Amino acid sequence: MNKCEIKFGKMRWKNPVTVASGTFGLEYAELFDLSQLGALTTKTITPEPKAGNEPQRIIETEAGLLNSIGLQNPGVQEFIKTDLPEYSKIDTNLIVSISASSINEFASLVKKLDTQLGIDAYEINISCPNVENEGIAFGTAPEIVFDLTKKLRETTDRTLIIKLSPNVTSITDIAKHAENAGADGLALINTLYGMAIDVETKRPKLHNIVGGYSGPAIKPVALQNVYKVANAIKIPILAMGGISSVNDALEFIIAGATAIAVGTYNFINPLGTIEIIEGIQEYCISHNISYKKLIGSIQI
Amino acid sequence: MYFKKIPVLKVESVNDEYFVLRIRDKELTQNIKPGQFFQIKDPDVAIPLLPRPFGVYDIKEDVLSFLIKKVGESTKNLSILEEGHIIQLLGPLGNGFPVAQNKKVLIASGGIGYAPMPYLEQKLKEAGNEVWFYHGGQSSNDVFCDDVQNCTEDGSCGHAGLVTEHIENCFDSMDVDVVYACGPELMLQALSVLCNERNIPIYVSLERIMACGVGACCGCVIKIKENGKVVYKKVCKDGPVFGGAKVIWDE
Ligand SMILES: Cc1cc2nc3c(=O)[nH]c(=O)nc-3n(C[C@H](O)[C@H](O)[C@H](O)COP(=O)(O)OP(=O)(O)OC[C@H]3O[C@@H](n4cnc5c(N)ncnc54)[C@H](O)[C@@H]3O)c2cc1C
Ligand SMILES: Cc1cc2nc3c(=O)[nH]c(=O)nc-3n(C[C@H](O)[C@H](O)[C@H](O)COP(=O)(O)O)c2cc1C
Ligand code: FES
């Protein structure tokens, strides 16, 4: 038996590894069999198409990446027409990441997607720092997170994952509000705020001035957020933030994550997820520990 | 598209600014279109984090070569690799240049924009085209081959002056059907204007900072005119080659 199977909300995963929203696409199917992943997570889909932000949108910075993509996506209609049928062919769980600008808009987006087969979970992106008034207002106010989660809980039976921003006063407070309102799980962390300046031109390197900071640099920040939240709630955590090796993934699992997502590292090593899946399995065997016992096994 | 870890066959210095990186691989050298590129990284080097894109310079049997200019950390690291050191390559990526058939064509390159052109020239000649090849650089350091029309700004090699000025002077007498260009954006813009005025198609290869290189992150977009609208296109997947008339150039 595969020791690393997990349950996440209503889903069963063959292994605890997925990809972080916005850092992966079906393009990678040319390189490996995507059904080897525990789940696939789409880039964030919005009710209407979004052109995204003006370039420059990405810049490499201290051991990380700054991005201000601005949720470029074809909108839900086009997603259902072109992307979903392709995703549905892949024999693994599908997590559709979504964002909208009001609670009602979120609810009608979920309603629309609920009519479609092949979707296993929704990841609610209330934390993307790149779109004004969209996401971040939700992500920072515990009461709004509660109301939104409750409304979506009433709307769908599918697994509901709330994705949290680290750019808040108390992430555990927000996590508890999401749990109390009926979320099946939490995903954390989204990117940190960051910026970079060209000292010759004195201009910000990103057109949007501020962007989201990801990659190895943010791993310690992500890890302590996951640790804190894991101690405050009972629902499972999908952890992400700089994971670039088996060791990184194990740290998050030991800190309390049920599953992990690889983001920026996909750009550096597109086969990283597969290496991490194999590495976690080998660790469990060589340390004679079941995956279930490994979760939250931190010794203080 | 492949993702492979492959030993370096050779790093050959061209001069203190440029070098050629060669690898040997049967699969990677199949069916590559001129203008396509690879994302390359030394997996032993943690920072810079991201791989860097490099166009295909030459393919001879199963040897794949890249002409690279040392501009920053990654390119300097690649320039000092020893034979046998393992590097990672992702590719071939991008659309590549459309190869005309039995036409009169002009290749124009500037500086390191020369890199994808010899392979394009080979493919164009194989397809029965008559090829003019103009290349420009700042000095003789930026000149790679004596068989093309070279122009240098300091006059140290070939014609003195900008390659665009030189092309402008003899453009109409060449009477070309298609233009292919790679180099600094101001040069590509000037050539596009020249071609648009005469209704001659021009294909330009563009550079943008990339992360994924495959079309997944939406990080590398540029603005393109399409059906009367301005849309974002990914340089890595929709490009790097675009019709010069459609590009909205940065101010
Ligand atoms: C499709 C394509 C094909 C290319 N082909 C060649 C080639 O054949 N030979 C060659 O010498 N160069 C080529 N380049 C440019 C090459 O990718 C950059 O010079 C290289 O990334 C610089 O890396 P660095 O770490 O040495 O320099 P850095 O210190 O990182 O940056 C120096 C400059 O390089 C550019 N750059 C930085 N990061 C990236 C990135 N991830 N992607 C693209 N550009 C970046 C920026 O304009 C920056 O100002 C190509 C670029 C593209 C997009
Ligand atoms: C280029 C890029 C695009 C992203 N797009 C999204 C997105 O559309 N929705 C979302 O919820 N998170 C998005 N993220 C955030 C990631 O999903 C992830 O939370 C974050 O990058 C931290 O993980 P990492 O350090 O492993 O990349 C994006 C990140 C990057 C680098
Ligand atoms: S580099 Fe990721 S979409 Fe082009």
Side-chain angles (χ1 to χ4, degrees):
Chain A
M1 196 197 79
N2 176 355
K3 282 203 191 120
C4 295
E5 268 179 21
I6 58 161
K7 256 197 83 180
F8 199 103
K10 290 148 198 119
M11 295 182 281
R12 265 186 190 288
W13 296 23
K14 55 195 135 202
N15 64 62
V17 178
T18 185
V19 286
S21 177
T23 66
F24 199 81
L26 293 167
E27 293 83 5
Y28 290 102
E30 275 187 55
L31 293 182
F32 69 98
D33 174 6
L34 304 187
S35 72
Q36 291 178 76
L37 298 170
L40 277 166
T41 310
T42 69
K43 72 172 69 164
T44 297
I45 307 299
T46 52
E48 296 300 324
K50 256 188 202 306
N53 289 335
E54 285 264 334
Q56 185 68 23
R57 290 181 176 185
I58 48 171
I59 192 84
E60 184 169 342
T61 184
E62 289 78 1
L65 180 66
L66 281 174
N67 90 78
S68 66
I69 307 297
L71 295 188
Q72 177 175 342
N73 81 92
V76 67
Q77 217 69 38
E78 184 63 24
F79 170 78
I80 290 173
K81 210 174 99 199
T82 28
D83 298 343
L84 188 56
E86 293 305 310
Y87 275 111
S88 302
K89 286 183 200 154
I90 302 163
D91 181 22
T92 189
N93 294 291
L94 180 63
I95 305 172
V96 176
S97 168
I98 57 169
S99 187
S101 44
S102 69
I103 292 182
N104 283 337
E105 240 185 71
F106 260 111
S108 56
L109 186 54
V110 165
K111 250 188 215 142
K112 200 169 270 169
L113 288 163
D114 251 359
T115 63
Q116 302 296 316
L117 297 174
I119 299 171
D120 298 286
Y122 302 112
E123 185 176 89
I124 311 305
N125 179 5
I126 52 170
S127 51
C128 181
N130 294 323
V131 187
E132 233 176 301
N133 290 331
E134 183 159 311
I136 203 68
F138 288 109
T140 53
E143 295 75 24
I144 300 180
V145 172
F146 182 89
D147 292 344
L148 172 66
T149 311
K150 191 156 175 285
K151 175 82 178 185
L152 297 183
R153 182 71 295 159
E154 288 159 5
T155 311
T156 183
D157 290 329
R158 284 177 174 159
T159 298
L160 201 54
I161 304 168
I162 311 294
K163 182 163 179 180
L164 304 183
S165 166
N167 307 314
V168 295
T169 319
S170 168
I171 196 167
T172 47
D173 194 21
I174 293 171
K176 281 187 205 159
H177 277 76
E179 180 180 41
N180 291 338
D184 295 295
L186 303 176
L188 60 146
I189 61 173
N190 209 317
T191 50
L192 295 163
Y193 284 134
M195 73 184 283
I197 297 171
D198 182 326
V199 297
E200 295 306 324
T201 61
K202 301 190 177 71
R203 291 157 76 110
K205 289 189 180 176
L206 291 179
H207 185 274
N208 201 49
I209 305 175
V210 172
Y213 190 21
S214 67
I218 72 164
K219 198 199 88 187
V221 180
L223 190 60
Q224 68 90 28
N225 275 301
V226 167
Y227 171 68
K228 262 190 333 207
V229 171
N231 280 322
I233 57 156
K234 293 197 178 61
I235 51 176
I237 292 174
L238 168 58
M240 65 200 79
I243 296 176
S244 313
S245 67
V246 181
N247 200 84
D248 291 346
L250 290 167
E251 283 190 67
F252 280 94
I253 297 157
I254 292 167
T258 296
I260 64 105
V262 176
T264 303
Y265 189 60
N266 290 309
F267 309 149
I268 298 157
N269 175 4
L271 301 182
T273 44
I274 301 303
E275 290 165 18
I276 289 170
I277 291 167
E278 286 166 3
I280 294 172
Q281 283 164 356
E282 279 163 24
Y283 179 92
C284 287
I285 293 166
S286 66
H287 291 70
N288 198 21
I289 185 169
S290 74
Y291 185 75
K292 222 173 161 182
K293 285 226 172 85
L294 186 63
I295 299 169
S297 61
I298 185 165
Q299 305 289 311
I300 304 288
Chain B
M1 172 168 66
Y2 296 94
F3 179 69
K4 282 197 163 191
K5 295 193 175 172
I6 291 175
V8 170
L9 180 66
K10 221 171 192 185
V11 172
E12 288 163 28
S13 171
V14 174
N15 55 44
D16 53 357
E17 281 182 84
Y18 298 92
F19 64 99
V20 176
L21 171 71
R22 300 192 201 278
I23 58 120
R24 186 194 292 281
D25 189 83
K26 280 227 162 60
E27 282 175 329
L28 293 189
T29 41
Q30 302 300 314
N31 305 321
I32 292 181
K33 294 190 200 124
Q36 285 192 304
F37 66 97
F38 282 81
Q39 284 270 72
I40 302 182
K41 179 179 163 73
D42 176 355
D44 289 351
V45 174
I47 294 169
L49 221 51
L50 297 170
R52 297 288 193 258
F54 299 102
V56 170
Y57 174 49
D58 183 46
I59 299 173
K60 286 230 165 56
E61 290 172 0
D62 52 0
V63 176
L64 177 60
S65 305
F66 302 91
L67 175 69
I68 299 176
K69 183 176 187 180
K70 290 183 247 179
V71 296
E73 202 70 22
S74 305
T75 46
K76 276 176 200 142
N77 288 342
L78 292 174
S79 76
I80 52 169
L81 290 182
E82 309 256 324
E83 187 186 328
H85 188 90
I86 303 289
I87 54 169
Q88 65 175 57
L89 292 98
L90 175 70
L93 303 168
N95 57 356
F97 288 104
V99 176
Q101 304 272 343
N102 306 315
K103 294 266 163 61
K104 265 192 189 170
V105 305
L106 168 69
I107 293 177
S109 59
I112 187 59
Y114 181 79
M117 294 318 201
Y119 183 56
L120 172 65
E121 182 189 29
Q122 180 196 326
K123 291 288 167 192
L124 285 168
K125 284 186 171 162
E126 282 168 15
N129 295 287
E130 190 185 323
V131 183
W132 301 83
F133 194 152
Y134 279 79
H135 172 71
Q138 237 140 43
S139 75
S140 57
N141 241 16
D142 308 306
V143 167
F144 306 96
C145 173
D146 297 334
D147 296 341
V148 307
Q149 298 288 323
N150 290 306
C151 308
T152 52
E153 283 171 51
D154 70 356
S156 58
C157 180
H159 312 278
L162 288 171
V163 65
T164 40
E165 288 167 2
H166 200 73
I167 290 174
E168 222 162 314
N169 289 339
C170 51
F171 196 61
D172 292 321
S173 65
M174 286 188 282
D175 190 26
V176 295
D177 304 307
V178 189
V179 175
Y180 300 93
C182 183
E185 229 151 272
L186 281 176
M187 167 185 169
L188 302 181
Q189 192 173 353
L191 289 173
S192 295
V193 170
L194 197 68
C195 289
N196 293 349
E197 284 166 359
R198 293 162 178 78
N199 253 326
I200 295 170
I202 172 168
Y203 297 99
V204 297
S205 184
L206 299 179
E207 282 187 18
R208 283 295 179 275
I209 292 182
M210 291 181 181
C212 71
V214 302
C217 74
C218 302
C220 63
V221 298
I222 55 158
K223 285 183 189 160
I224 291 285
K225 277 173 268 182
E226 195 178 69
N227 307 326
K229 278 197 293 197
V230 176
V231 296
Y232 287 127
K233 291 277 176 188
K234 297 165 187 170
V235 172
C236 69
K237 194 180 178 186
D238 305 316
V241 177
F242 294 93
K246 291 188 174 166
V247 177
I248 299 188
W249 304 95
D250 285 343
E251 294 91 47

